[in-house]
Structure formats: C-alpha cells, structure tokens
Amino acid sequence: MTDHDLYRRQLVERLEREKRAAQDDIVRAQADEARARAKVAEKDAAIASVLAARAPQDDECRRCRFEFGRTSVLRPMPSKSKVARFQCALCGAEEERA
C-alpha cells in the first residue's frame, strides 16, 4: 500500500467518524427539541386551565383554585400583627389580608 493510499484511507476513516458524531448531535438536538415542545404544550395547557378557571370566592385558596383546579377554604391563623393571616389546609399557602 502506498503512502497516498494509506493517507486517503485514514482521511476517509476520520471523516466517517466526524460524520457519525455530527449525526449523533442531530439525534440529541431532535430529542431536546421534542422535550422543549412538550414543555411548551404543557405550559399552554396550564395557561388555558388558569384562564378557564372561575374566580375563587373570598374564603377560597387562590393557589388551589388556579394551579390545581380544586376548592379549599382558608382557615385563620394566629397573628400578632393587625393583619389577618389565613392558611390553606391542602397546599399550605398563606395569605395576609387587611
């Protein structure tokens, strides 16, 4: 085998390795794109759910109503300040009301 043939064979092998690496990059990028598209669709559905949800009553937890679509009545908590504090029994969210 001549030096030219050896060089040519080594060059082709290197280029084939680089081609496989580039193809692997494409596969990874497509998987990342699919995950990102799924996340966007999930957020779109969450936005639609929040917009479609009815407004919570004054004594209902806003977080439970908008984020989870459920109803939970807030219960009063002891507070040393003049602001009334309430807590949700389901999600633990706290609210202060004057």
Side-chain angles (χ1 to χ4, degrees):
M1 182 178 289
T2 66
D3 288 342
H4 299 296
D5 292 335
L6 179 61
Y7 177 78
R8 182 181 296 168
R9 191 187 76 198
Q10 289 173 344
L11 179 60
V12 167
E13 288 172 356
R14 181 177 56 85
L15 292 171
E16 286 176 346
R17 281 193 307 273
E18 291 174 1
K19 177 183 173 183
R20 283 192 299 275
Q23 289 171 333
D24 291 344
D25 289 345
I26 290 171
V27 170
R28 279 192 293 277
Q30 288 172 336
D32 289 344
E33 180 185 14
R35 280 190 293 275
R37 288 187 186 279
K39 190 179 279 189
V40 167
E42 177 184 318
K43 298 304 176 188
D44 283 343
I47 289 168
S49 173
V50 168
L51 292 175
R54 70 166 175 81
Q57 301 294 319
D58 288 338
D59 62 344
E60 288 181 339
C61 175
R62 291 183 190 122
R63 182 173 183 222
C64 282
R65 167 56 55 199
F66 290 127
E67 290 187 36
F68 310 116
R70 60 190 183 198
T71 301
S72 174
V73 176
L74 296 171
R75 53 182 190 195
M77 294 178 53
S79 174
K80 293 182 181 181
S81 67
K82 299 201 186 268
V83 178
R85 294 177 50 90
F86 296 88
Q87 184 178 32
C88 177
L90 295 178
C91 72
E94 294 183 10
E95 291 184 21
E96 291 184 352
R97 299 181 182 170

